[in-house]
């Protein structure tokens, strides 16, 4: 707990991170950038867990364990996502998301 | 004696059919043919044993009572409505099973050579075995339901075999035509069966034939247009039989049925299936002669005599050899119908019945021989038209001799088979009605003329140079020809003098003596000889007499050549009048309301899915956008609800 910094300040930061991530996910064409945007979303959620745990239920550690869990999942997810991107590159000679539009009507 | 083995007579070809149907089409070329042939050969052996036992062992007193060799309950609805399947043994069914299995066996054997190299070899034998099973099941039927069941099965296998060359549009049209015309007639047969079984409470032939005139009268008190209900029912059943037997005016399918392979024409459209109508009338003959004092038999006789004359006239001018034979078949079946129509029931009165069955018996041999000979000729020349033939006697010696025997037999020359049976029919007609006799007499002359026209145009007429030298058919084809040739030569003689037909087969199973009336036989033999001599003058060597004659007949010649425009009349009636006028309202309702509703539902689905399918764009960012905006919208809605 940082002196003079309220829960709302931290929540505003995490909300901003979340929507920046959403924005990046929706607008970027490069797969790596989209991956980074997903990481932003995940991290904003992890921050939320820690902050709410710390400010509202200081005697418990559930939120911290959840954020550790999210970090572990994010690590695994990045490994898979990078593998997908490499395969995608091998097929399309590009990592532009516009080349991944074949699965449609 | 235990007769239950007779059930295997129809079942053996059925086993062959199942084996071939499941495994046969993968086997290499001659094997399916031999499997089918062996199945039919089993039926042949069993029918000969049955015939021997029935005629010479069981009934040594020469009174041939019907025996139910086998019967089982197939479908049991109520105490009255029961469908049974079984084997009825009486003189005509035993005779028919011998004819069917003999001709079917020879045709199977012949087809092994004839169909060699055809891609549909296995399929052909599957259908042929199915047909043999159905036909044997038909002739041994114990009741009206069973005969109707197998009646439709022979119709289906006939349809399959006419349309065997399904790449040819004409074959498809012919098979459809045969099926629709016979099915149309079968509809009347079905109504007839329903009426008969409604009034008599039975399907069983023995019960129906066992009733006498008074019990029929008491059963059908109501009458319509001067005939009792049962007489109408029998007339309807006869219409069914006329459709199957190509009697006028339901004959139009038979000439077109020649689109099928030639062995099929020999088996189905000459020897067996087309006589099913005659067999039906013969099977119910005591009933026919009891109901209304035989009123329906007058119709049978008239239709038979007219068809016989009509077909013989058309056969004079046709150029396709198989069509000549088809019209000749129709004409000969007309004879058989005439024989039944003029027959009485007791003693020598039953001569017409016996003669008709005798003619059926001999006709099966010489007509299938003619068709198989035609098959060998077509095999050699690769054409159906007699204009492409001539002088073939040097190339096809066996076919030539056997064809000549068959032509003499059908023309009724002593001592060939046709003489005895045709003479017996004419004799019976003379006893009944002199006009029928003179019609039959004239037809005998026409028959001799057109058969020898055919014979000379194929084997003599002119020597021509063939692109491929014609050669005699292989042994599997010539042996059946020779066997049938011997049968055509001997069947009449043997079954007149050695085992007189009339002493075994009569309408009541009681024997009578059949003898030749030499005056009548002499004048019919005379007219046949005149026909042959005329044909010899006109067609033995190429000359211009035929052209002069056809010019002299002028318009009549053209009408005959075009078969009196019956196909066109039927097309006009069905297309223009029935489809165009009578059913126009229904057609409108069907295309606009019924189809319209269905189309509306279908089109709406297609259009709306076309409109919304763009949503599935394949861009996952679009999907994510939809999820996010949906989530945001939900949040806004819930916040709004909570705050108010």
């Amino acid at each position: 707990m940082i002196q003079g910094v309220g829960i709302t300040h931290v929540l505003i930061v995490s909300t901003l991170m979340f929507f920046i991530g959403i924005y990046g996910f929706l607008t970027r064409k490069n797969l790596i950038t989209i991956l980074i945007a997903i990481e932003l979303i995940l991290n904003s959620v992890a921050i939320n867990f820690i902050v709410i745990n710390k400010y509202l239920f200081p005697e418990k550690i559930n939120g911290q364990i959840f954020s550790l869990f999210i970090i572990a999942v994010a690590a695994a997810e990045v490994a898979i996502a990078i593998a997908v991107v490499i395969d995608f590159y091998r097929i399309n000679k590009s990592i532009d998301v516009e080349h991944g539009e074949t699965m449609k009507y | 004696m235990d007769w239950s083995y007779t059930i295997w007579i129809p079942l053996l070809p059925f086993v062959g059919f199942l084996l071939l149907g499941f495994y046969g089409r993968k086997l290499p070329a001659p094997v399916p043919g031999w499997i089918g042939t062996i199945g039919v050969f089993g039926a042949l052996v069993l029918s000969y044993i049955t015939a021997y036992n029935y005629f010479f062992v069981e009934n040594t007193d020469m009174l041939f009572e019907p025996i139910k060799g086998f019967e089982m309950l197939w479908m049991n609805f109520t105490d009255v409505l029961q469908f049974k399947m079984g084997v009825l043994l009486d003189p005509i069914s035993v005779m028919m099973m011998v004819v069917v299995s003999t001709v079917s066996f020879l045709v199977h054997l012949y087809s092994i050579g004839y169909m060699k190299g055809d891609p549909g070899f296995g399929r052909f034998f599957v259908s042929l075995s199915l047909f043999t099973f159905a036909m044997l099941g038909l002739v041994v039927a114990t009741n009206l339901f069973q005969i109707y069941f197998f009646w439709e099965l022979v119709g289906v296998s006939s349809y399959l075999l006419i349309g065997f060359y399904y790449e040819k549009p004409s074959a498809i049209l012919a098979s459809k035509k045969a099926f629709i015309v016979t099915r149309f007639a079968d509809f009347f047969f079905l109504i007839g069966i329903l009426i008969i079984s409604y009034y008599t409470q039975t399907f069983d032939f023995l019960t129906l034939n066992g009733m006498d005139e008074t019990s029929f009268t008491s059963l059908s008190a109501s009458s319509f247009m001067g005939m009792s209900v049962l007489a109408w029912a029998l007339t309807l059943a006869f219409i069914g039989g006329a459709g199957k037997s190509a009697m006028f005016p339901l004959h139009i399918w038979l000439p077109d049925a020649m689109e099928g392979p030639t062995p099929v024409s020999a088996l189905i459209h000459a020897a067996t299936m087309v006589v099913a109508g005659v067999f039906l009338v013969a099977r119910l003959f005591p009933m026919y002669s009891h109901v209304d004092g035989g009123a329906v038999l007058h119709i049978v006789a008239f239709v038979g005599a007219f068809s016989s004359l009509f077909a013989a006239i058309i056969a004079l001018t046709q150029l396709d050899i198989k069509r000549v034979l088809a019209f000749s078949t129709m004409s000969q079946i007309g004879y058989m119908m005439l024989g039944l129509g003029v027959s009485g029931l007791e003693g020598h009165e039953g001569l017409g019945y016996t003669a008709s069955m005798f003619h059926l018996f001999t006709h099966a041999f010489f007509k299938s021989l003619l068709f198989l000979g035609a098959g060998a000729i077509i095999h050699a020349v690769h054409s159906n038209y007699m204009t492409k033939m001539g002088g073939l006697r040097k190339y096809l010696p066996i076919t030539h001799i056997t064809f000549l025997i068959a032509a003499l037999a059908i023309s009724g020359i002593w001592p060939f088979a046709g003489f005895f049976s045709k003479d017996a029919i004419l004799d019976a007609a003379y006893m009944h009605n002199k006009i029928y006799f003179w019609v039959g007499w004239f037809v005998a002359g026409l028959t001799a003329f057109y058969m020898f026209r055919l014979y000379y145009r194929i084997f003599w007429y002119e020597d021509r140079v063939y692109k491929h030298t014609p050669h005699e058919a292989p042994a599997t084809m010539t042996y059946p020809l020779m066997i049938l040739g011997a049968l055509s030569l001997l069947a009449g003689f043997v079954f007149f003098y050695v085992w007189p037909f009339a002493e075994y087969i009569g309408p009541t199973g009681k024997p009578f003596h059949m003898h030749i009336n030499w005056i009548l036989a002499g004048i019919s033999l005379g007219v046949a000889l005149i026909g042959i001599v005329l044909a010899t003058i006109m067609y033995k060597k190429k000359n211009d007499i035929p052209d002069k004659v056809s010019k002299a007949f002028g318009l009549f010649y053209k009408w005959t050549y075009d078969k009196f425009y019956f196909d066109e009349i039927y097309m006009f009636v069905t297309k223009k009048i029935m489809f165009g006028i009578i059913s126009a309202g229904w057609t409108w309702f069907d295309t606009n309301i019924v189809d319209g509703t269905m189309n509306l539902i279908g089109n709406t689905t297609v259009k709306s899915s076309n409109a919304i399918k763009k949503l599935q764009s394949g861009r996952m960012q679009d999907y994510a956008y939809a999820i996010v905006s949906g989530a945001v919208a939900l949040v806004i809605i819930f916040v709004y609800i909570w705050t108010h």
Side-chain angles (χ1 to χ4, degrees):
Chain A
M1 199 184 295
I2 307 159
Q3 284 299 321
V5 181
I7 184 169
T8 36
H9 296 85
V10 189
L11 285 182
I12 286 168
V13 169
S14 78
T15 311
L16 277 176
M17 268 174 77
F18 183 81
F19 279 102
I20 289 167
I22 295 279
Y23 177 78
F25 183 82
L26 294 181
T27 53
R28 291 289 135 180
K29 297 296 170 204
N30 190 311
L31 278 177
I32 300 289
T33 331
I34 290 171
L35 200 55
I36 293 168
I38 293 171
E39 289 305 310
L40 275 179
I41 296 169
L42 282 169
N43 284 333
S44 77
V45 173
I47 289 172
N48 257 8
F49 269 114
I50 290 174
V51 167
I52 289 167
N53 180 221
K54 191 74 190 168
Y55 280 84
L56 300 185
F57 306 104
E59 72 282 3
K60 290 183 178 167
I61 55 165
N62 296 21
Q64 295 180 30
I65 289 170
F66 254 105
S67 54
L68 278 175
F69 196 71
I70 287 170
I71 289 164
V73 168
E77 174 250 312
V78 163
I80 294 169
I82 291 293
V84 169
V85 170
I86 289 169
D87 232 29
F88 190 91
Y89 179 77
R90 281 190 185 147
I91 294 166
N92 295 307
K93 296 291 167 228
S94 151
I95 50 168
D96 196 327
V97 75
E98 279 173 354
H99 290 107
E101 289 177 11
T102 47
M103 284 172 67
K104 58 182 174 184
Y105 56 88
Chain B
M1 185 176 288
D2 182 23
W3 296 96
S4 57
Y5 72 88
T6 49
I7 189 66
W8 287 102
I9 293 171
L11 281 187
L12 280 176
F14 185 62
V15 170
F17 160 69
L18 288 181
L19 278 177
L20 287 170
F22 284 124
Y23 309 109
R25 280 165 299 176
K26 294 183 197 117
L27 298 172
V31 184
W34 286 110
I35 293 174
T37 311
I38 289 165
V40 179
F41 184 71
L44 173 89
V45 171
L46 283 180
S47 354
Y48 280 21
I49 292 172
T50 311
Y52 176 77
N53 283 337
Y54 186 79
F55 285 119
F56 300 111
V57 178
E58 181 83 359
N59 295 303
T60 41
D61 55 356
M62 303 303 279
L63 289 173
F64 297 102
E65 291 297 324
I67 298 168
K68 270 189 184 151
F70 176 88
E71 187 159 57
M72 58 172 263
L73 194 58
W74 197 44
M75 282 189 261
N76 189 6
F77 294 102
T78 64
D79 286 343
V80 181
L81 185 61
Q82 292 177 330
F83 291 155
K84 290 176 179 170
M85 288 283 179
V87 177
L88 177 67
L89 299 167
D90 75 341
I92 56 168
S93 72
V94 174
M95 187 265 305
M96 280 298 284
M97 78 173 63
V98 168
V99 170
V100 171
S101 55
T102 309
V103 177
S104 180
F105 169 70
L106 293 172
V107 165
H108 270 80
L109 198 62
Y110 178 92
S111 305
I112 293 172
Y114 187 85
M115 299 306 287
K116 197 172 147 201
D118 193 291
F121 191 87
R123 187 162 54 89
F124 180 81
F125 281 93
V126 173
S127 314
L128 212 55
S129 292
L130 174 66
F131 171 77
T132 310
F133 158 64
M135 192 66 208
L136 287 167
L138 192 156
V139 300
V140 299
T142 57
N143 56 61
L144 278 169
F145 169 77
Q146 189 185 353
I147 208 169
Y148 187 71
F149 181 90
F150 285 105
W151 191 271
E152 295 300 339
L153 257 184
V154 289
V156 169
S157 38
S158 157
Y159 165 79
L160 290 174
L161 285 163
I162 296 170
F164 179 75
Y165 298 119
Y166 58 81
E167 319 83 28
K168 264 167 59 184
S170 60
I172 298 293
L173 287 176
S175 64
K176 274 198 297 193
K177 188 172 176 184
F179 194 72
I180 291 169
V181 173
T182 51
R183 194 65 199 72
F184 172 75
D186 294 349
F187 180 63
F188 293 98
F189 184 23
L190 179 61
I191 298 172
I193 290 176
L194 294 178
I195 296 175
I196 292 171
S197 55
Y198 178 77
Y199 280 96
T200 60
Q201 301 286 305
T202 182
F203 288 111
D204 195 75
F205 286 135
L206 295 183
T207 322
L208 288 173
N209 285 339
M211 291 186 197
D212 57 9
E213 198 153 345
T214 46
S215 55
F216 280 127
T217 317
S218 64
L219 280 172
S220 57
S222 52
S223 67
F224 176 67
M225 285 171 66
M227 291 211 298
S228 70
V229 173
L230 278 178
W232 277 105
L234 287 176
T235 311
L236 291 172
F238 171 67
I239 293 175
K244 209 52 138 194
S245 289
M247 288 290 98
F248 179 87
L250 295 165
H251 63 280
I252 52 161
W253 65 272
L254 187 61
D256 288 27
M258 299 299 132
E259 289 290 343
T262 310
V264 171
S265 311
L267 177 61
I268 301 183
H269 306 118
T272 55
M273 188 192 82
V274 288
V275 298
V278 180
F279 180 76
L280 175 71
V281 178
R283 169 53 79 216
L284 283 172
F285 189 76
M287 187 173 173
Y288 268 95
S289 53
H290 280 143
V291 172
D292 280 19
V296 187
L297 289 177
H298 293 300
I299 303 174
V300 175
F302 179 78
V303 169
F306 185 79
S307 304
S308 151
L309 181 63
F310 180 81
I313 291 172
I314 294 178
L316 295 175
T317 55
Q318 299 300 306
L319 289 176
D320 181 333
I321 61 171
K322 285 181 73 183
R323 298 221 167 182
V324 175
L325 293 175
F327 281 108
S328 148
T329 306
M330 182 184 157
S331 172
Q332 299 299 311
I333 294 169
Y335 263 132
M336 298 173 205
M337 287 289 188
L338 172 64
L340 285 175
V342 299
S343 179
L345 198 57
E346 291 298 329
H348 203 263
E349 289 281 298
L351 176 65
Y353 176 94
T354 304
S356 171
M357 291 296 106
F358 195 18
H359 200 56
L360 193 163
F361 182 74
T362 55
H363 173 259
F365 298 131
F366 58 70
K367 185 51 66 65
S368 53
L369 172 56
L370 284 169
F371 267 110
L372 295 183
I377 294 156
I378 293 165
H379 192 75
V381 188
H382 305 291
S383 169
N384 277 8
Y385 286 89
M386 58 174 82
T387 46
K388 301 261 170 64
M389 299 167 188
L392 281 172
R393 68 185 182 283
K394 278 171 283 186
Y395 305 105
L396 307 169
I398 299 172
T399 312
H400 170 228
I401 295 298
T402 51
F403 200 91
L404 178 61
I405 291 172
L408 287 167
I410 197 174
S411 307
I413 304 298
W414 194 89
F416 294 92
F419 169 78
F420 297 96
S421 51
K422 186 182 280 183
D423 176 66
I425 288 179
L426 292 178
D427 202 356
Y430 188 79
M431 293 197 304
H432 181 80
N433 186 336
K434 307 255 182 320
I435 296 170
Y436 286 148
F437 169 76
W438 289 111
V439 169
W441 174 83
F442 185 57
V443 171
L446 292 178
T447 308
F449 178 78
Y450 68 69
M451 281 321 298
F452 275 83
R453 167 176 177 264
L454 184 66
Y455 165 75
Y456 284 123
R457 286 294 299 256
I458 294 171
F459 293 105
W460 298 73
Y461 200 58
E462 54 179 342
D463 288 324
R464 59 166 65 229
V465 181
Y466 291 96
K467 213 188 292 172
H468 309 282
T469 312
H471 56 90
E472 189 62 276
T476 50
M477 287 168 73
T478 49
Y479 278 112
L481 289 180
M482 288 188 269
I483 295 168
L484 283 170
L487 285 170
S488 308
L489 187 61
L490 297 172
F493 196 80
V494 169
F495 287 98
F496 194 83
Y497 291 112
V498 185
W499 297 299
F501 212 75
E503 296 187 8
Y504 294 94
I505 292 168
T508 51
K510 294 185 192 70
F512 64 94
H513 187 66
M514 184 164 67
H515 57 87
I516 299 177
N517 182 339
W518 279 107
I519 301 170
L520 296 183
I523 56 177
S524 59
L525 203 57
V527 77
L529 288 174
I530 292 172
I532 293 174
V533 169
L534 274 179
T536 314
I537 294 168
M538 285 166 74
Y539 296 106
K540 184 164 180 208
K541 273 250 175 290
K542 193 174 180 175
N543 58 43
D544 58 350
I545 302 172
D547 284 339
K548 279 183 193 158
V549 173
S550 59
K551 283 219 177 61
F553 278 104
L555 201 56
F556 187 70
Y557 174 82
K558 188 167 158 38
W559 286 358
T560 319
Y561 185 74
D562 292 332
K563 305 163 205 155
F564 294 102
Y565 301 100
F566 265 91
D567 286 326
E568 287 75 8
I569 293 169
Y570 273 86
M571 283 313 274
F572 178 76
V573 171
T574 50
K575 280 255 152 72
K576 291 269 156 50
I577 296 177
M578 280 172 65
F579 295 160
I581 298 167
I582 297 172
S583 55
W586 285 108
T587 316
W588 183 89
F589 182 80
D590 188 52
T591 48
N592 290 294
I593 308 294
V594 179
D595 292 4
T597 313
M598 289 301 144
N599 286 344
L600 186 68
I601 294 168
N603 286 341
T604 314
T605 314
V606 169
K607 285 209 177 104
S608 50
S609 56
N610 269 334
I612 61 169
K613 76 177 178 185
K614 296 277 160 50
L615 287 178
Q616 192 194 8
S617 62
R619 283 190 292 273
M620 50 102 171
Q621 285 168 325
D622 288 0
Y623 307 152
Y625 182 74
I627 294 167
V628 170
S629 45
V632 170
L634 281 177
V635 167
I636 290 168
I637 289 166
F638 282 123
V639 168
Y640 180 80
I641 291 169
W642 284 330
T643 50
H644 283 75

